[in-house]
Amino acid sequence: MSTSASLSGLRLVVSAGPTYEDIDPVRFIGNRSSGKMGFAIAGAAARRGAQVVLVAGPVSLPTPADVQRVDVRSAAQMHEAVLAALPADAYIGAAAVADFAPAQAASSKIKKQAGQDSMTLTLVRTRDILADVADHPHRPRIVVGFAAETDHVEAYARGKLEKKRLDLIAANRVGMAGTGFESDDNALTVYAADGAVHALGPAAKTQLADALLDLIAQRLTE
């Protein structure tokens, strides 16, 4: 059991990793998310005594001890799995979910044609998992989002926090040396709906997971 604040008796749903949106049987739209942050959060929550459901995109990370893992591939599958895991005391959306997906995946490999210099791919919006959880009849007491941005980090994070009616959002700048998607380390700034701001890191993602859970545990016990 972690020496940090206990989460015993609480149920947490965590989403982690990327989503892959299929174009055809051999190609997809994806991103660089490794899933390490979400898996670290899930593992740390379980060590604190929480019942944890981890909805994982396509990553090869081992399942943390005492965590129920649900593997998905697409944004639509992740949306379904997260909502199916409710009710919960907290939802932590650490996954990097695709905002758009191909309107229709081809049933066989798309072949280039003679003289073809370009191809148009029609994309459609995916369901917004964070917004739908925050608006759900069984809304968790705490809904936490993540914002990985290349610029205007604070403005985009605060906008997402307000628009999606979140309780907390953990923001980081993509591209900082030694941190981010594929690294074991990160640096987060957590913005709260009540106006509080918490700077976490730079530190190992395992340490950041515990620091973030301290903030969540504090709000769950208020």
Side-chain angles (χ1 to χ4, degrees):
M1 176 73 69
S2 170
T3 57
S4 303
S6 174
L7 295 171
S8 180
L10 300 178
R11 177 179 172 87
L12 273 65
V13 178
V14 181
S15 59
T19 65
Y20 287 172
E21 313 305 325
D22 289 329
I23 298 171
D24 64 20
V26 298
R27 302 180 181 92
F28 61 85
I29 298 171
N31 60 63
R32 295 190 178 99
S33 176
S34 66
K36 291 178 180 179
M37 189 72 249
F39 273 62
I41 293 168
R47 289 192 294 274
R48 293 173 183 233
Q51 177 190 4
V52 182
V53 178
L54 173 61
V55 180
V59 297
S60 57
L61 298 173
T63 305
D66 301 316
V67 168
Q68 177 188 346
R69 178 172 177 171
V70 180
D71 287 311
V72 298
R73 178 177 175 85
S74 69
Q77 292 169 349
M78 183 169 285
H79 182 279
E80 181 180 2
V82 167
L83 267 61
L86 300 180
D89 295 285
Y91 169 61
I92 305 168
V97 185
D99 293 320
F100 292 88
Q104 184 172 358
S107 59
S108 57
K109 181 181 177 181
I110 300 171
K111 305 292 289 184
K112 62 184 177 184
Q113 304 300 316
Q116 182 182 9
D117 294 322
S118 64
M119 183 183 77
T120 299
L121 184 65
T122 301
L123 303 178
V124 295
R125 285 290 297 267
T126 58
R127 299 279 298 275
D128 191 319
I129 298 173
L130 271 173
D132 285 355
V133 169
D135 196 41
H136 197 274
H138 297 297
R139 185 194 195 279
R141 293 156 59 193
I142 301 293
V143 180
V144 184
F146 273 68
E149 305 290 349
T150 57
D151 53 10
H152 307 297
V153 177
E154 180 176 353
Y156 286 136
R158 288 187 182 277
K160 187 174 181 180
L161 175 73
E162 181 177 356
K163 180 180 179 180
K164 300 189 181 186
R165 300 192 307 110
L166 310 179
D167 299 288
L168 299 171
I169 189 161
N172 69 290
R173 184 182 299 277
V174 176
M176 288 180 60
T179 66
F181 280 149
E182 297 164 339
S183 172
D184 290 328
D185 300 326
N186 209 349
L188 301 174
T189 302
V190 181
Y191 301 95
D194 61 12
V197 180
H198 307 272
L200 308 180
K205 289 179 178 177
T206 51
Q207 292 176 273
L208 293 177
D210 269 315
L212 180 61
L213 286 171
D214 281 341
L215 298 178
I216 294 169
Q218 178 183 357
R219 283 163 171 75
L220 287 173
T221 56
E222 286 179 345

